[in-house]
């Protein structure tokens, strides 16, 4: 019998009990004499039975208008429909019937899913003509002396490969490692971005520019890549070292954590031994030789970092990090920034807003303040009004203003502690990460406003600064304050009281010391460390990251706690 069951749930299906109840005995006997359907038709009819029951009396009768079935649509229209569905739904669709299974073999369906879900735009059939990004990015950076005629030898044979293989065996299988990650390299941390690049999945390690050029773009190098060879299985290759890609392995340890392992560590070694490896690493990491670095303490820090990080060239564990959520009332757009940290060079921090305060968390770190720690915290409720340029050059004058604000903050916190037992539940509703503000006024800046919601810290700050869209206030560093970069902005928009985290070697005796947060523009800010008489300049990382947004604000807060607890 012809398949009467419709995927839309309408039609005289032999398996529909309501339909059988309306038949007479003669009609029922005639229907039972018809040949049985094949198993696929029975599956379709079984689905129609459930849908018929859901119709609740709206079955197809003589007066019902005719409805079209998906099975009756032309194949080219089904291709368009199936190509618009998520790729994860297509395997279930292939189990419906033979027709659907044949149509899902159409490679244009899977090519569209690769493009829309993962951004793959390459044409498998034209790679030898147009080339792919790996011809220049991967082959030339590994060995610039390789002749162009040999580039294609490191590429897979895509001639007999299908987009369905690319989707199922590569993109879908490794989708959980796409996004931003922090490698577990002791106090140094790092920033890894796993992306779909052409027909590869690449793990790019993002490196700050060479010290002290904080406004220069980020540098990056590939740590591993995953791609398909002739077989329908993905190949993992380690990209560490200077001898080209070699055999590697990736293991997804648990949710939001994975590890990589190199199976051929001899590719990491150089013929000149450790001295040649150190000189090469120094040129890549610092852009100079050891003879160019005259500061003895800085030489010790550099050598220590090389010895420590080289121990992790065999196996690394990565933990997922998210970009901070943004809010229209934020002082500036949160995100990743490059900052100067004295002899430690440039480091990467993440600026995020938390109600009445903002925090800069280290993504890369050093032996004093490791990655994951909150290097700077800004009190958005206490703005500092800087003196004129001539008085600002006097460090003692700036110190006096900042210490007055610190004392005011201390008194407010003390008042809050005294009032807490009286208010009871009222104080219990406030988050410990969002300090309340009392009636005390700041002599160094405009008073804190009462009645603000926790998310209004940035909005309040924006309302208070008339120079937001203008030229700003003149700014100059006080005499005696050191800066790695003398090319800092000479105007600022506003300043706030803040604290910076300092500690001894090995993160010993950590303490928060007062300082000044200076907002220069939408992409740059600074911090004056009062006790260290030092200035750090931060510049935004100008890069777009996919698969890096936190699923919720709570997930972002939990991520911050996790990376901080690893180094506490």
């Amino acid at each position: 019998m012809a398949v009467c069951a419709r995927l839309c749930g309408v039609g005289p299906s032999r398996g529909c009990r309501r339909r059988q109840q309306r038949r007479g005995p003669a009609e029922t006997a005639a229907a039972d004499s018809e040949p049985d359907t094949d198993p696929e038709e029975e599956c379709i009819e079984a689905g129609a039975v459930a849908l018929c029951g859901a119709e609740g009396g709206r079955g197809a009768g003589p007066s019902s208008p005719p409805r079209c079935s998906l099975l009756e649509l032309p194949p080219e229209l089904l291709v368009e429909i199936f190509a618009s569905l998520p790729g994860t739904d297509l395997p279930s669709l292939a189990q419906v019937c033979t027709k659907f299974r044949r149509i899902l073999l159409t490679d244009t369906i899977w090519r569209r899913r690769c493009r829309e879900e993962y951004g793959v735009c390459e044409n498998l059939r034209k790679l030898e003509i147009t080339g792919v990004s790996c011809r220049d990015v991967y082959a030339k950076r590994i060995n610039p002396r390789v002749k162009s005629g040999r580039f294609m030898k490191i590429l897979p044979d895509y001639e007999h490969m299908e987009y369905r293989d690319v989707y199922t065996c590569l993109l879908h299988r490794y989708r959980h490692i796409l996004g931003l990650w922090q490698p577990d390299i002791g106090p140094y941390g790092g920033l890894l971005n796993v992306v779909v690049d052409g027909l590869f999945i690449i793990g790019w390690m993002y490196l700050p520019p060479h010290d002290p050029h904080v406004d220069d773009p980020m540098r990056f190098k590939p740590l591993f890549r995953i791609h398909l060879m002739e077989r329908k299985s993905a190949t993992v290759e380690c990209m560490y070292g200077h001898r080209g890609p070699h055999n590697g392995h990736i293991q997804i340890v648990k949710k939001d954590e994975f590890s990589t392992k190199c199976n051929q560590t001899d590719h990491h070694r150089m013929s000149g031994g450790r001295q040649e490896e150190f000189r090469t690493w120094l040129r890549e990491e610092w852009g100079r030789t050891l003879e160019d670095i005259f500061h003895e303490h800085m030489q010790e820090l550099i050598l220590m970092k090389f010895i420590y990080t080289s121990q992790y060239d065999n196996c690394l564990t990565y933990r997922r990090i998210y970009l901070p959520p943004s809010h229209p009332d934020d002082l500036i757009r949160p995100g990743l920034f490059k900052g100067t940290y004295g002899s430690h060079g440039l480091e990467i921090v993440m600026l995020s807003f938390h109600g009445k305060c903002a925090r800069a968390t280290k993504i890369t770190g050093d032996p004093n303040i490791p990655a994951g720690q909150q290097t700077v915290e800004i009190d958005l409720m206490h703005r500092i009004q800087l003196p004129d340029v001539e008085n600002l050059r006097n460090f003692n004058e700036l110190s006096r203003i900042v210490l007055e604000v610190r004392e005011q903050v201390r008194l407010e916190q003390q008042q809050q502690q005294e009032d807490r037992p009286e208010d009871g539940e009222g104080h219990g509703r406030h988050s410990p990460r969002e300090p309340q503000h009392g009636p005390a006024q700041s002599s160094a800046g405009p008073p804190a406003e009462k009645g603000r919601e926790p998310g209004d810290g940035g909005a309040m700050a924006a309302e208070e600064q008339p120079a937001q869209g203008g030229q700003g206030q003149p700014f100059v560093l006080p005499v005696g304050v050191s800066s790695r970069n003398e090319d800092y902005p000479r105007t600022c928009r506003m300043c706030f009281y803040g604290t910076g985290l300092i500690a001894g070697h090995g993160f010993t005796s950590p303490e928060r010391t007062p300082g000044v947060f200076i907002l220069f523009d939408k992409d740059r800010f600074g911090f004056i460390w009062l006790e260290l008489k030092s200035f750090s300049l931060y510049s935004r990382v100008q890069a777009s990251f996919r698969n890096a947004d936190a699923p919720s604000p709570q997930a972002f807060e939990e991520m911050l706690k996790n990376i901080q607890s690893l180094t506490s």
Side-chain angles (χ1 to χ4, degrees):
M1 115 180 189
V3 180
C4 295
R6 299 298 184 251
L7 291 180
C8 56
V10 180
S13 169
R14 190 160 61 98
C16 180
R17 297 179 180 177
R18 278 186 57 85
R19 188 67 175 168
Q20 290 180 358
Q21 291 173 359
R22 293 199 296 268
R23 292 175 178 169
E27 294 175 334
T28 304
D32 291 339
S33 65
E34 295 181 4
D36 292 335
T37 60
D38 59 25
E40 292 177 353
E41 292 177 349
E42 291 177 355
C43 291
I44 300 176
E45 291 181 2
V49 169
L51 290 171
C52 283
E55 287 290 320
R58 295 180 294 158
S63 61
S64 301
R67 298 190 183 183
C68 182
S69 164
L70 281 177
L71 290 172
E72 296 175 354
L73 295 177
E76 57 271 17
L77 188 55
L78 289 176
V79 168
E80 286 298 317
I81 294 175
F82 295 168
S84 63
L85 299 175
T88 52
D89 293 342
L90 299 183
S92 300
L93 193 61
Q95 298 177 4
V96 173
C97 63
T98 304
K99 181 176 182 179
F100 286 5
R101 188 158 58 247
R102 284 198 305 266
I103 291 176
L104 285 172
L105 294 177
T106 307
D107 216 32
T108 55
I109 296 175
W110 298 97
R111 181 179 181 181
R112 179 173 170 182
R113 299 323 311 151
C114 291
R115 182 180 70 250
E116 293 186 358
E117 295 182 24
Y118 298 100
V120 177
C121 300
E122 278 70 17
N123 189 334
L124 286 174
R125 304 295 167 258
K126 297 181 180 179
L127 282 182
E128 291 191 358
I129 300 175
T130 61
V132 291
S133 56
C134 57
R135 290 189 66 177
D136 295 329
V137 175
Y138 312 131
K140 287 185 178 179
R141 288 185 182 175
I142 292 168
N143 189 351
R145 295 168 292 183
V146 174
K147 300 298 182 182
S148 59
R150 296 178 57 191
F151 283 165
M152 296 305 295
K153 289 187 178 182
I154 70 169
L155 295 178
D157 180 14
Y158 293 111
E159 187 65 26
H160 304 94
M161 197 173 294
E162 304 292 337
Y163 278 99
R164 181 181 57 176
D165 301 330
V166 175
Y167 186 96
T168 58
C169 301
L170 177 66
L171 303 178
H172 180 72
R173 179 181 178 185
Y174 290 98
R175 68 192 184 280
H176 296 300
I177 69 171
L178 298 177
L180 289 178
W181 302 83
Q182 185 183 50
D184 184 7
I185 314 180
Y188 298 103
L191 180 64
L192 180 80
N193 187 23
V194 183
V195 299
V196 176
D197 191 344
L199 294 168
F200 290 75
I201 291 179
I202 308 293
W204 293 104
M205 180 67 85
Y206 276 65
L207 304 172
H210 293 139
D211 182 51
H213 308 292
V214 69
D215 288 324
D216 287 358
M218 294 285 287
R219 300 174 296 122
F220 47 89
K221 64 179 181 180
L223 290 191
F224 63 86
R225 71 179 185 181
I226 315 170
H227 61 103
L228 294 183
M229 300 300 286
E230 291 79 358
R231 301 174 182 177
K232 294 184 178 181
S233 61
T235 299
V236 179
E237 294 177 328
C238 176
M239 305 288 287
Y240 192 87
H242 297 264
R243 296 171 59 182
H246 46 282
N247 187 24
H249 175 71
I250 285 181
Q251 179 182 2
I252 299 178
V253 180
K254 58 183 179 180
K255 186 179 182 294
D256 296 335
E257 184 176 324
F258 76 97
S259 62
T260 59
K261 181 180 180 181
C262 177
N263 297 328
Q264 295 177 286
T265 55
D266 57 300
H267 281 62
H268 303 173
R269 308 280 78 87
M270 289 186 169
S271 58
R274 297 289 281 177
Q275 290 186 355
E276 182 183 359
E277 294 173 13
F278 174 67
R279 287 194 297 267
T280 304
W281 175 87
L282 188 59
R283 285 194 300 269
E284 294 177 352
E285 187 81 9
W286 292 84
R288 62 182 79 175
T289 63
L290 195 62
E291 290 76 15
D292 298 332
I293 303 173
F294 301 104
H295 199 289
E296 184 177 350
H297 178 60
M298 192 172 183
Q299 292 180 352
E300 294 176 353
L301 292 174
I302 291 174
L303 185 59
M304 183 187 309
K305 184 175 183 179
F306 170 74
I307 295 174
Y308 194 98
T309 57
S310 60
Q311 301 174 10
Y312 290 83
D313 63 350
N314 176 36
C315 185
L316 266 178
T317 300
Y318 303 87
R319 295 177 178 85
R320 183 180 293 279
I321 60 176
Y322 298 113
L323 291 179
S326 60
H327 191 274
D329 293 335
D330 290 338
L331 194 63
I332 58 173
R333 180 167 56 90
L336 298 174
F337 290 79
K338 305 154 287 182
T340 56
Y341 279 88
S343 300
H344 298 293
L346 298 188
E347 298 182 11
I348 304 173
V349 303
M350 177 185 292
L351 179 67
S352 56
F353 290 87
H354 309 262
K356 300 178 179 66
C357 67
R359 297 186 178 94
T361 304
K362 279 195 172 187
I363 302 302
T364 63
D366 53 68
N368 291 73
I369 307 297
Q373 295 298 318
Q374 293 174 2
T375 176
V376 172
E377 184 167 337
I378 306 105
D379 188 346
L380 299 175
M381 303 306 296
H382 293 87
R383 184 179 173 188
I384 290 180
Q385 186 66 41
L386 295 179
D388 57 71
V389 174
E390 291 303 320
N391 288 325
L392 183 58
R393 295 181 185 276
N394 186 342
F395 177 80
N396 293 331
E397 177 65 17
L398 177 64
S399 178
R400 180 190 63 80
I401 295 175
V402 175
L403 293 179
E404 284 182 1
V405 179
R406 184 180 69 167
E407 180 63 19
Q408 175 189 337
V409 172
R410 188 189 67 80
L411 293 175
E412 290 177 2
Q413 292 175 347
Q414 181 178 349
Q415 184 68 32
Q416 292 168 13
Q417 293 293 333
E418 294 175 355
D419 295 343
R420 191 177 300 274
E422 300 176 5
D423 294 346
E425 295 181 4
H427 284 279
R429 289 193 298 267
H430 289 275
S431 168
R433 289 180 173 270
E434 298 169 0
Q436 307 161 43
H437 53 280
Q441 307 294 328
S442 171
S443 62
E449 298 184 22
K450 288 189 175 183
R452 293 277 182 181
E453 293 298 325
D456 291 344
M460 178 205 66
E463 293 170 4
E464 292 179 356
Q465 51 112 359
Q468 180 82 18
Q471 297 299 318
Q473 173 184 353
F475 175 80
V476 64
L477 284 177
V479 176
V481 174
S482 62
S483 173
R484 298 286 294 178
N485 194 332
E486 295 298 330
D487 188 23
Y488 61 86
R490 292 309 194 266
T491 59
C492 66
R493 292 181 175 179
M494 56 198 331
C495 301
F496 290 91
Y497 171 77
T499 58
L501 183 62
I502 63 174
H505 187 85
F507 197 43
T508 56
S509 305
E511 61 173 321
R512 306 207 70 89
T513 61
V516 182
F517 170 85
I518 307 106
L519 178 63
F520 293 114
D521 51 47
K522 63 183 181 64
D523 293 324
R524 289 181 296 180
F525 65 88
F527 190 80
I528 298 178
W529 308 75
L530 209 62
E531 184 171 327
L532 302 179
K533 289 190 176 182
S534 176
F535 172 73
S536 293
L537 177 64
Y538 301 84
S539 178
R540 185 182 300 277
V541 174
Q542 301 289 355
S544 58
F545 300 100
R546 297 187 61 180
N547 306 295
D549 295 330
S552 66
Q554 294 76 16
F556 176 77
E557 293 287 346
E558 189 67 24
M559 180 272 298
L560 285 183
K561 293 180 182 177
N562 290 338
I563 64 175
Q564 183 178 8
S565 64
L566 294 174
T567 56
S568 295

